[in-house]
Amino acid sequence: MKFNYEKLGNLIEISEKKNSDLTVDNLVGMNINKEFIPSVANTNGTNLARYKLITKNQFGCNLMHVGRDKSVVVSKYSEENPSIISPSYKIFQVKDTDLILPDFLMLCFLRSEVDRFCWFYTDSSVRGSLDWSKFCEIDIPLPDLDTQQKIVDIYQFFSDRIELKKKINKNLEEIVENHFKEKYIKNKPQVYTKTTLNTIITITSGKRPSVKDNLKTKEMNIPLIGASSIMGYTNQYLFKEKILITGRVGTHGIIQRFDSKCWPSDNTLIIKSKWYEYVYQILKTINYTKLNRGSTQPLITQSDLKNIEIILPSEKELQEFENWAKSIMQKVDENKKENSKLSNLRDILLPKLMNGEIDVSNIEV
């Protein structure tokens, strides 16, 4: 099936509506995963009347870091209530929903070829900005509306299952976390030993890989781990055992779990322990902001983590907690791996669906 194509600029129109009446105070930003996120910007003393309004089915677009991130950050706003966003972002909307569905247009922006096109046309600045006129040159496939909706439904089928497993994992993690806090944080028995985290962990720093890529291929399939998430793939590994990873730079406080080949980058700290689940829960209770060293580039050191004060139950009790938590967290880890497979399959299917390689007319979702 062959689709017709149209330039993006012919399908969209800019919105410049500002928060002039100051009735909206929910400030949002966007991340590299092309999602809206709550903004952490300090708005004290900021004139919010300058901020742009974004409403349901409009798109936010950040063209300032395309060269640096090798990705153009575009997100479709789906909430019923409007939000405000930085005046440096572009806001646009579909001109004619009888020609293209907003949800389908968002899928177009998720294609890797869009990121490659935009990256190629960035300027020579440090961040690598993209001119709006070049952004509007993106070719957008235009199947009929029924086909557009089918493609959206197929993509959403995978996304819904991924989201369901994420919710299950959140509930499972809360069960373990609440039990840990109730037993070892709120009610600290005097019989427990007071010590430092160093007594039950070993800790090292990650390294910058000599080979890396942003695409997962047969040769480049080992995750390259950043401070808060997988940031690419490589063909080498530093670890293949169970490890916990946290960010070395910044205030992330995000703890990642891995038990297969991976390469933690140089902005991470790698923690190993016989009491893996107990240490995982301890790491989640730490106030990482207080550990920050520096100002413009806050730093958490190995010594900072090693010297965290903890309580230590008997080895028998630790083993009981380890066995119980492990039985629950194994399901969490299995769900994460299943989500990774679903996500990979969804990402493989998307370009084929958007290029008309798959006939969706007889597919029921």
Side-chain angles (χ1 to χ4, degrees), residues 62-85:
N62 180 2
L63 301 180
M64 294 182 294
H65 311 110
V66 180
R68 184 193 67 185
D69 298 333
K70 295 185 179 180
S71 173
V72 58
V73 175
V74 185
S75 304
K76 184 179 79 71
Y77 190 78
S78 301
E79 301 299 321
E80 293 295 334
N81 296 323
S83 290
I84 54 175
I85 197 166

mmCIF file with all atom_site columns, all heavy atoms in Angstrom, residues 62-85:
data_model
loop_
_atom_site.group_PDB
_atom_site.id
_atom_site.type_symbol
_atom_site.label_atom_id
_atom_site.label_alt_id
_atom_site.label_comp_id
_atom_site.label_asym_id
_atom_site.label_entity_id
_atom_site.label_seq_id
_atom_site.pdbx_PDB_ins_code
_atom_site.Cartn_x
_atom_site.Cartn_y
_atom_site.Cartn_z
_atom_site.occupancy
_atom_site.B_iso_or_equiv
_atom_site.pdbx_formal_charge
_atom_site.auth_seq_id
_atom_site.auth_comp_id
_atom_site.auth_asym_id
_atom_site.auth_atom_id
_atom_site.pdbx_PDB_model_num
ATOM 1   N N   . ASN A 1 62 ? 10.210  21.617 21.004 1.00 0.00 ? 62 ASN A N   1
ATOM 2   C CA  . ASN A 1 62 ? 11.460  22.243 21.420 1.00 0.00 ? 62 ASN A CA  1
ATOM 3   C C   . ASN A 1 62 ? 12.488  22.029 20.319 1.00 0.00 ? 62 ASN A C   1
ATOM 4   O O   . ASN A 1 62 ? 12.951  20.913 20.096 1.00 0.00 ? 62 ASN A O   1
ATOM 5   C CB  . ASN A 1 62 ? 11.949  21.626 22.733 1.00 0.00 ? 62 ASN A CB  1
ATOM 6   C CG  . ASN A 1 62 ? 13.249  22.243 23.218 1.00 0.00 ? 62 ASN A CG  1
ATOM 7   O OD1 . ASN A 1 62 ? 13.776  23.164 22.601 1.00 0.00 ? 62 ASN A OD1 1
ATOM 8   N ND2 . ASN A 1 62 ? 13.763  21.748 24.321 1.00 0.00 ? 62 ASN A ND2 1
ATOM 9   N N   . LEU A 1 63 ? 12.853  23.099 19.626 1.00 0.00 ? 63 LEU A N   1
ATOM 10  C CA  . LEU A 1 63 ? 13.794  23.007 18.508 1.00 0.00 ? 63 LEU A CA  1
ATOM 11  C C   . LEU A 1 63 ? 15.200  23.460 18.894 1.00 0.00 ? 63 LEU A C   1
ATOM 12  O O   . LEU A 1 63 ? 16.062  23.579 18.029 1.00 0.00 ? 63 LEU A O   1
ATOM 13  C CB  . LEU A 1 63 ? 13.290  23.861 17.337 1.00 0.00 ? 63 LEU A CB  1
ATOM 14  C CG  . LEU A 1 63 ? 11.915  23.496 16.772 1.00 0.00 ? 63 LEU A CG  1
ATOM 15  C CD1 . LEU A 1 63 ? 11.561  24.440 15.628 1.00 0.00 ? 63 LEU A CD1 1
ATOM 16  C CD2 . LEU A 1 63 ? 11.870  22.055 16.320 1.00 0.00 ? 63 LEU A CD2 1
ATOM 17  N N   . MET A 1 64 ? 15.446  23.636 20.188 1.00 0.00 ? 64 MET A N   1
ATOM 18  C CA  . MET A 1 64 ? 16.712  24.238 20.614 1.00 0.00 ? 64 MET A CA  1
ATOM 19  C C   . MET A 1 64 ? 17.839  23.231 20.840 1.00 0.00 ? 64 MET A C   1
ATOM 20  O O   . MET A 1 64 ? 19.003  23.599 20.828 1.00 0.00 ? 64 MET A O   1
ATOM 21  C CB  . MET A 1 64 ? 16.496  25.028 21.907 1.00 0.00 ? 64 MET A CB  1
ATOM 22  C CG  . MET A 1 64 ? 15.604  26.238 21.730 1.00 0.00 ? 64 MET A CG  1
ATOM 23  S SD  . MET A 1 64 ? 15.438  27.177 23.271 1.00 0.00 ? 64 MET A SD  1
ATOM 24  C CE  . MET A 1 64 ? 14.567  25.999 24.304 1.00 0.00 ? 64 MET A CE  1
ATOM 25  N N   . HIS A 1 65 ? 17.524  21.948 21.093 1.00 0.00 ? 65 HIS A N   1
ATOM 26  C CA  . HIS A 1 65 ? 18.565  20.986 21.457 1.00 0.00 ? 65 HIS A CA  1
ATOM 27  C C   . HIS A 1 65 ? 18.632  19.803 20.503 1.00 0.00 ? 65 HIS A C   1
ATOM 28  O O   . HIS A 1 65 ? 19.109  18.737 20.865 1.00 0.00 ? 65 HIS A O   1
ATOM 29  C CB  . HIS A 1 65 ? 18.327  20.464 22.881 1.00 0.00 ? 65 HIS A CB  1
ATOM 30  C CG  . HIS A 1 65 ? 18.082  21.539 23.888 1.00 0.00 ? 65 HIS A CG  1
ATOM 31  N ND1 . HIS A 1 65 ? 16.865  21.749 24.482 1.00 0.00 ? 65 HIS A ND1 1
ATOM 32  C CD2 . HIS A 1 65 ? 18.916  22.484 24.391 1.00 0.00 ? 65 HIS A CD2 1
ATOM 33  C CE1 . HIS A 1 65 ? 16.944  22.761 25.324 1.00 0.00 ? 65 HIS A CE1 1
ATOM 34  N NE2 . HIS A 1 65 ? 18.179  23.235 25.279 1.00 0.00 ? 65 HIS A NE2 1
ATOM 35  N N   . VAL A 1 66 ? 18.147  19.975 19.299 1.00 0.00 ? 66 VAL A N   1
ATOM 36  C CA  . VAL A 1 66 ? 18.033  18.852 18.358 1.00 0.00 ? 66 VAL A CA  1
ATOM 37  C C   . VAL A 1 66 ? 19.400  18.264 18.019 1.00 0.00 ? 66 VAL A C   1
ATOM 38  O O   . VAL A 1 66 ? 19.588  17.052 17.986 1.00 0.00 ? 66 VAL A O   1
ATOM 39  C CB  . VAL A 1 66 ? 17.305  19.291 17.072 1.00 0.00 ? 66 VAL A CB  1
ATOM 40  C CG1 . VAL A 1 66 ? 17.194  18.129 16.102 1.00 0.00 ? 66 VAL A CG1 1
ATOM 41  C CG2 . VAL A 1 66 ? 15.917  19.833 17.420 1.00 0.00 ? 66 VAL A CG2 1
ATOM 42  N N   . GLY A 1 67 ? 20.372  19.141 17.777 1.00 0.00 ? 67 GLY A N   1
ATOM 43  C CA  . GLY A 1 67 ? 21.703  18.655 17.428 1.00 0.00 ? 67 GLY A CA  1
ATOM 44  C C   . GLY A 1 67 ? 22.371  17.926 18.570 1.00 0.00 ? 67 GLY A C   1
ATOM 45  O O   . GLY A 1 67 ? 23.015  16.896 18.384 1.00 0.00 ? 67 GLY A O   1
ATOM 46  N N   . ARG A 1 68 ? 22.212  18.457 19.775 1.00 0.00 ? 68 ARG A N   1
ATOM 47  C CA  . ARG A 1 68 ? 22.820  17.841 20.958 1.00 0.00 ? 68 ARG A CA  1
ATOM 48  C C   . ARG A 1 68 ? 22.181  16.486 21.268 1.00 0.00 ? 68 ARG A C   1
ATOM 49  O O   . ARG A 1 68 ? 22.874  15.516 21.559 1.00 0.00 ? 68 ARG A O   1
ATOM 50  C CB  . ARG A 1 68 ? 22.663  18.766 22.166 1.00 0.00 ? 68 ARG A CB  1
ATOM 51  C CG  . ARG A 1 68 ? 23.337  18.273 23.433 1.00 0.00 ? 68 ARG A CG  1
ATOM 52  C CD  . ARG A 1 68 ? 22.866  19.067 24.629 1.00 0.00 ? 68 ARG A CD  1
ATOM 53  N NE  . ARG A 1 68 ? 21.455  18.818 24.925 1.00 0.00 ? 68 ARG A NE  1
ATOM 54  C CZ  . ARG A 1 68 ? 20.776  19.459 25.869 1.00 0.00 ? 68 ARG A CZ  1
ATOM 55  N NH1 . ARG A 1 68 ? 21.351  20.404 26.567 1.00 0.00 ? 68 ARG A NH1 1
ATOM 56  N NH2 . ARG A 1 68 ? 19.500  19.175 26.089 1.00 0.00 ? 68 ARG A NH2 1
ATOM 57  N N   . ASP A 1 69 ? 20.826  16.430 21.210 1.00 0.00 ? 69 ASP A N   1
ATOM 58  C CA  . ASP A 1 69 ? 20.108  15.216 21.600 1.00 0.00 ? 69 ASP A CA  1
ATOM 59  C C   . ASP A 1 69 ? 19.891  14.238 20.451 1.00 0.00 ? 69 ASP A C   1
ATOM 60  O O   . ASP A 1 69 ? 19.471  13.104 20.674 1.00 0.00 ? 69 ASP A O   1
ATOM 61  C CB  . ASP A 1 69 ? 18.744  15.587 22.185 1.00 0.00 ? 69 ASP A CB  1
ATOM 62  C CG  . ASP A 1 69 ? 18.863  16.433 23.434 1.00 0.00 ? 69 ASP A CG  1
ATOM 63  O OD1 . ASP A 1 69 ? 19.899  16.321 24.118 1.00 0.00 ? 69 ASP A OD1 1
ATOM 64  O OD2 . ASP A 1 69 ? 17.933  17.201 23.729 1.00 0.00 ? 69 ASP A OD2 1
ATOM 65  N N   . LYS A 1 70 ? 20.173  14.704 19.199 1.00 0.00 ? 70 LYS A N   1
ATOM 66  C CA  . LYS A 1 70 ? 19.903  13.898 18.007 1.00 0.00 ? 70 LYS A CA  1
ATOM 67  C C   . LYS A 1 70 ? 18.442  13.463 17.952 1.00 0.00 ? 70 LYS A C   1
ATOM 68  O O   . LYS A 1 70 ? 18.108  12.370 17.510 1.00 0.00 ? 70 LYS A O   1
ATOM 69  C CB  . LYS A 1 70 ? 20.825  12.674 17.951 1.00 0.00 ? 70 LYS A CB  1
ATOM 70  C CG  . LYS A 1 70 ? 22.293  13.025 17.790 1.00 0.00 ? 70 LYS A CG  1
ATOM 71  C CD  . LYS A 1 70 ? 23.150  11.796 17.614 1.00 0.00 ? 70 LYS A CD  1
ATOM 72  C CE  . LYS A 1 70 ? 24.620  12.183 17.434 1.00 0.00 ? 70 LYS A CE  1
ATOM 73  N NZ  . LYS A 1 70 ? 25.483  10.999 17.266 1.00 0.00 ? 70 LYS A NZ  1
ATOM 74  N N   . SER A 1 71 ? 17.592  14.333 18.435 1.00 0.00 ? 71 SER A N   1
ATOM 75  C CA  . SER A 1 71 ? 16.156  14.056 18.467 1.00 0.00 ? 71 SER A CA  1
ATOM 76  C C   . SER A 1 71 ? 15.411  15.382 18.529 1.00 0.00 ? 71 SER A C   1
ATOM 77  O O   . SER A 1 71 ? 15.867  16.320 19.184 1.00 0.00 ? 71 SER A O   1
ATOM 78  C CB  . SER A 1 71 ? 15.810  13.206 19.696 1.00 0.00 ? 71 SER A CB  1
ATOM 79  O OG  . SER A 1 71 ? 14.416  13.060 19.838 1.00 0.00 ? 71 SER A OG  1
ATOM 80  N N   . VAL A 1 72 ? 14.288  15.443 17.843 1.00 0.00 ? 72 VAL A N   1
ATOM 81  C CA  . VAL A 1 72 ? 13.444  16.632 17.946 1.00 0.00 ? 72 VAL A CA  1
ATOM 82  C C   . VAL A 1 72 ? 12.322  16.308 18.923 1.00 0.00 ? 72 VAL A C   1
ATOM 83  O O   . VAL A 1 72 ? 11.595  15.328 18.764 1.00 0.00 ? 72 VAL A O   1
ATOM 84  C CB  . VAL A 1 72 ? 12.886  17.063 16.567 1.00 0.00 ? 72 VAL A CB  1
ATOM 85  C CG1 . VAL A 1 72 ? 12.086  15.966 15.900 1.00 0.00 ? 72 VAL A CG1 1
ATOM 86  C CG2 . VAL A 1 72 ? 12.054  18.330 16.707 1.00 0.00 ? 72 VAL A CG2 1
ATOM 87  N N   . VAL A 1 73 ? 12.225  17.107 19.975 1.00 0.00 ? 73 VAL A N   1
ATOM 88  C CA  . VAL A 1 73 ? 11.243  16.847 21.030 1.00 0.00 ? 73 VAL A CA  1
ATOM 89  C C   . VAL A 1 73 ? 9.911   17.483 20.656 1.00 0.00 ? 73 VAL A C   1
ATOM 90  O O   . VAL A 1 73 ? 9.772   18.703 20.638 1.00 0.00 ? 73 VAL A O   1
ATOM 91  C CB  . VAL A 1 73 ? 11.740  17.383 22.383 1.00 0.00 ? 73 VAL A CB  1
ATOM 92  C CG1 . VAL A 1 73 ? 10.661  17.210 23.446 1.00 0.00 ? 73 VAL A CG1 1
ATOM 93  C CG2 . VAL A 1 73 ? 13.010  16.650 22.800 1.00 0.00 ? 73 VAL A CG2 1
ATOM 94  N N   . VAL A 1 74 ? 8.943   16.642 20.326 1.00 0.00 ? 74 VAL A N   1
ATOM 95  C CA  . VAL A 1 74 ? 7.583   17.073 20.003 1.00 0.00 ? 74 VAL A CA  1
ATOM 96  C C   . VAL A 1 74 ? 6.623   16.227 20.832 1.00 0.00 ? 74 VAL A C   1
ATOM 97  O O   . VAL A 1 74 ? 6.748   15.005 20.887 1.00 0.00 ? 74 VAL A O   1
ATOM 98  C CB  . VAL A 1 74 ? 7.248   16.882 18.509 1.00 0.00 ? 74 VAL A CB  1
ATOM 99  C CG1 . VAL A 1 74 ? 5.877   17.468 18.203 1.00 0.00 ? 74 VAL A CG1 1
ATOM 100 C CG2 . VAL A 1 74 ? 8.304   17.508 17.637 1.00 0.00 ? 74 VAL A CG2 1
ATOM 101 N N   . SER A 1 75 ? 5.680   16.874 21.491 1.00 0.00 ? 75 SER A N   1
ATOM 102 C CA  . SER A 1 75 ? 4.718   16.156 22.323 1.00 0.00 ? 75 SER A CA  1
ATOM 103 C C   . SER A 1 75 ? 3.309   16.654 22.042 1.00 0.00 ? 75 SER A C   1
ATOM 104 O O   . SER A 1 75 ? 3.092   17.858 21.873 1.00 0.00 ? 75 SER A O   1
ATOM 105 C CB  . SER A 1 75 ? 5.031   16.359 23.818 1.00 0.00 ? 75 SER A CB  1
ATOM 106 O OG  . SER A 1 75 ? 6.347   15.973 24.118 1.00 0.00 ? 75 SER A OG  1
ATOM 107 N N   . LYS A 1 76 ? 2.364   15.706 22.012 1.00 0.00 ? 76 LYS A N   1
ATOM 108 C CA  . LYS A 1 76 ? 0.951   16.083 21.856 1.00 0.00 ? 76 LYS A CA  1
ATOM 109 C C   . LYS A 1 76 ? 0.316   16.177 23.234 1.00 0.00 ? 76 LYS A C   1
ATOM 110 O O   . LYS A 1 76 ? 0.413   15.258 24.049 1.00 0.00 ? 76 LYS A O   1
ATOM 111 C CB  . LYS A 1 76 ? 0.195   15.060 21.014 1.00 0.00 ? 76 LYS A CB  1
ATOM 112 C CG  . LYS A 1 76 ? -1.264  15.473 20.742 1.00 0.00 ? 76 LYS A CG  1
ATOM 113 C CD  . LYS A 1 76 ? -1.986  14.454 19.885 1.00 0.00 ? 76 LYS A CD  1
ATOM 114 C CE  . LYS A 1 76 ? -2.424  13.261 20.698 1.00 0.00 ? 76 LYS A CE  1
ATOM 115 N NZ  . LYS A 1 76 ? -3.554  13.598 21.624 1.00 0.00 ? 76 LYS A NZ  1
ATOM 116 N N   . TYR A 1 77 ? -0.318  17.301 23.513 1.00 0.00 ? 77 TYR A N   1
ATOM 117 C CA  . TYR A 1 77 ? -0.951  17.517 24.816 1.00 0.00 ? 77 TYR A CA  1
ATOM 118 C C   . TYR A 1 77 ? -2.326  16.857 24.831 1.00 0.00 ? 77 TYR A C   1
ATOM 119 O O   . TYR A 1 77 ? -3.161  17.122 23.969 1.00 0.00 ? 77 TYR A O   1
ATOM 120 C CB  . TYR A 1 77 ? -1.069  19.013 25.091 1.00 0.00 ? 77 TYR A CB  1
ATOM 121 C CG  . TYR A 1 77 ? -1.494  19.349 26.499 1.00 0.00 ? 77 TYR A CG  1
ATOM 122 C CD1 . TYR A 1 77 ? -0.574  19.299 27.539 1.00 0.00 ? 77 TYR A CD1 1
ATOM 123 C CD2 . TYR A 1 77 ? -2.798  19.705 26.779 1.00 0.00 ? 77 TYR A CD2 1
ATOM 124 C CE1 . TYR A 1 77 ? -0.960  19.612 28.837 1.00 0.00 ? 77 TYR A CE1 1
ATOM 125 C CE2 . TYR A 1 77 ? -3.197  20.014 28.072 1.00 0.00 ? 77 TYR A CE2 1
ATOM 126 C CZ  . TYR A 1 77 ? -2.279  19.959 29.097 1.00 0.00 ? 77 TYR A CZ  1
ATOM 127 O OH  . TYR A 1 77 ? -2.663  20.260 30.371 1.00 0.00 ? 77 TYR A OH  1
ATOM 128 N N   . SER A 1 78 ? -2.564  15.998 25.837 1.00 0.00 ? 78 SER A N   1
ATOM 129 C CA  . SER A 1 78 ? -3.785  15.191 25.853 1.00 0.00 ? 78 SER A CA  1
ATOM 130 C C   . SER A 1 78 ? -4.709  15.478 27.025 1.00 0.00 ? 78 SER A C   1
ATOM 131 O O   . SER A 1 78 ? -5.797  14.904 27.104 1.00 0.00 ? 78 SER A O   1
ATOM 132 C CB  . SER A 1 78 ? -3.423  13.695 25.875 1.00 0.00 ? 78 SER A CB  1
ATOM 133 O OG  . SER A 1 78 ? -2.653  13.351 24.749 1.00 0.00 ? 78 SER A OG  1
ATOM 134 N N   . GLU A 1 79 ? -4.302  16.374 27.943 1.00 0.00 ? 79 GLU A N   1
ATOM 135 C CA  . GLU A 1 79 ? -5.124  16.646 29.118 1.00 0.00 ? 79 GLU A CA  1
ATOM 136 C C   . GLU A 1 79 ? -6.315  17.540 28.773 1.00 0.00 ? 79 GLU A C   1
ATOM 137 O O   . GLU A 1 79 ? -6.253  18.343 27.839 1.00 0.00 ? 79 GLU A O   1
ATOM 138 C CB  . GLU A 1 79 ? -4.278  17.320 30.206 1.00 0.00 ? 79 GLU A CB  1
ATOM 139 C CG  . GLU A 1 79 ? -3.090  16.499 30.676 1.00 0.00 ? 79 GLU A CG  1
ATOM 140 C CD  . GLU A 1 79 ? -3.506  15.184 31.289 1.00 0.00 ? 79 GLU A CD  1
ATOM 141 O OE1 . GLU A 1 79 ? -4.528  15.158 32.011 1.00 0.00 ? 79 GLU A OE1 1
ATOM 142 O OE2 . GLU A 1 79 ? -2.817  14.174 31.050 1.00 0.00 ? 79 GLU A OE2 1
ATOM 143 N N   . GLU A 1 80 ? -7.393  17.393 29.554 1.00 0.00 ? 80 GLU A N   1
ATOM 144 C CA  . GLU A 1 80 ? -8.581  18.211 29.326 1.00 0.00 ? 80 GLU A CA  1
ATOM 145 C C   . GLU A 1 80 ? -8.345  19.667 29.731 1.00 0.00 ? 80 GLU A C   1
ATOM 146 O O   . GLU A 1 80 ? -8.831  20.587 29.066 1.00 0.00 ? 80 GLU A O   1
ATOM 147 C CB  . GLU A 1 80 ? -9.767  17.642 30.112 1.00 0.00 ? 80 GLU A CB  1
ATOM 148 C CG  . GLU A 1 80 ? -10.250 16.274 29.624 1.00 0.00 ? 80 GLU A CG  1
ATOM 149 C CD  . GLU A 1 80 ? -10.820 16.324 28.211 1.00 0.00 ? 80 GLU A CD  1
ATOM 150 O OE1 . GLU A 1 80 ? -11.308 17.405 27.792 1.00 0.00 ? 80 GLU A OE1 1
ATOM 151 O OE2 . GLU A 1 80 ? -10.778 15.278 27.533 1.00 0.00 ? 80 GLU A OE2 1
ATOM 152 N N   . ASN A 1 81 ? -7.628  19.877 30.818 1.00 0.00 ? 81 ASN A N   1
ATOM 153 C CA  . ASN A 1 81 ? -7.363  21.238 31.298 1.00 0.00 ? 81 ASN A CA  1
ATOM 154 C C   . ASN A 1 81 ? -6.081  21.776 30.677 1.00 0.00 ? 81 ASN A C   1
ATOM 155 O O   . ASN A 1 81 ? -5.096  21.043 30.539 1.00 0.00 ? 81 ASN A O   1
ATOM 156 C CB  . ASN A 1 81 ? -7.253  21.251 32.819 1.00 0.00 ? 81 ASN A CB  1
ATOM 157 C CG  . ASN A 1 81 ? -8.552  20.873 33.498 1.00 0.00 ? 81 ASN A CG  1
ATOM 158 O OD1 . ASN A 1 81 ? -9.624  21.239 33.028 1.00 0.00 ? 81 ASN A OD1 1
ATOM 159 N ND2 . ASN A 1 81 ? -8.460  20.123 34.593 1.00 0.00 ? 81 ASN A ND2 1
ATOM 160 N N   . PRO A 1 82 ? -6.060  23.045 30.305 1.00 0.00 ? 82 PRO A N   1
ATOM 161 C CA  . PRO A 1 82 ? -4.862  23.628 29.677 1.00 0.00 ? 82 PRO A CA  1
ATOM 162 C C   . PRO A 1 82 ? -3.714  23.771 30.666 1.00 0.00 ? 82 PRO A C   1
ATOM 163 O O   . PRO A 1 82 ? -3.906  23.770 31.884 1.00 0.00 ? 82 PRO A O   1
ATOM 164 C CB  . PRO A 1 82 ? -5.356  24.998 29.200 1.00 0.00 ? 82 PRO A CB  1
ATOM 165 C CG  . PRO A 1 82 ? -6.491  25.336 30.101 1.00 0.00 ? 82 PRO A CG  1
ATOM 166 C CD  . PRO A 1 82 ? -7.157  24.033 30.424 1.00 0.00 ? 82 PRO A CD  1
ATOM 167 N N   . SER A 1 83 ? -2.517  23.897 30.141 1.00 0.00 ? 83 SER A N   1
ATOM 168 C CA  . SER A 1 83 ? -1.325  24.165 30.933 1.00 0.00 ? 83 SER A CA  1
ATOM 169 C C   . SER A 1 83 ? -0.569  25.306 30.286 1.00 0.00 ? 83 SER A C   1
ATOM 170 O O   . SER A 1 83 ? -0.921  25.774 29.201 1.00 0.00 ? 83 SER A O   1
ATOM 171 C CB  . SER A 1 83 ? -0.432  22.917 31.016 1.00 0.00 ? 83 SER A CB  1
ATOM 172 O OG  . SER A 1 83 ? -1.014  21.910 31.807 1.00 0.00 ? 83 SER A OG  1
ATOM 173 N N   . ILE A 1 84 ? 0.487   25.752 30.951 1.00 0.00 ? 84 ILE A N   1
ATOM 174 C CA  . ILE A 1 84 ? 1.364   26.758 30.358 1.00 0.00 ? 84 ILE A CA  1
ATOM 175 C C   . ILE A 1 84 ? 2.737   26.138 30.160 1.00 0.00 ? 84 ILE A C   1
ATOM 176 O O   . ILE A 1 84 ? 3.129   25.201 30.858 1.00 0.00 ? 84 ILE A O   1
ATOM 177 C CB  . ILE A 1 84 ? 1.464   28.033 31.222 1.00 0.00 ? 84 ILE A CB  1
ATOM 178 C CG1 . ILE A 1 84 ? 1.872   27.690 32.663 1.00 0.00 ? 84 ILE A CG1 1
ATOM 179 C CG2 . ILE A 1 84 ? 0.169   28.800 31.185 1.00 0.00 ? 84 ILE A CG2 1
ATOM 180 C CD1 . ILE A 1 84 ? 2.104   28.908 33.545 1.00 0.00 ? 84 ILE A CD1 1
ATOM 181 N N   . ILE A 1 85 ? 3.445   26.678 29.174 1.00 0.00 ? 85 ILE A N   1
ATOM 182 C CA  . ILE A 1 85 ? 4.748   26.139 28.810 1.00 0.00 ? 85 ILE A CA  1
ATOM 183 C C   . ILE A 1 85 ? 5.677   27.291 28.446 1.00 0.00 ? 85 ILE A C   1
ATOM 184 O O   . ILE A 1 85 ? 5.210   28.394 28.108 1.00 0.00 ? 85 ILE A O   1
ATOM 185 C CB  . ILE A 1 85 ? 4.592   25.143 27.630 1.00 0.00 ? 85 ILE A CB  1
ATOM 186 C CG1 . ILE A 1 85 ? 5.830   24.261 27.491 1.00 0.00 ? 85 ILE A CG1 1
ATOM 187 C CG2 . ILE A 1 85 ? 4.254   25.851 26.330 1.00 0.00 ? 85 ILE A CG2 1
ATOM 188 C CD1 . ILE A 1 85 ? 5.600   23.057 26.581 1.00 0.00 ? 85 ILE A CD1 1
#
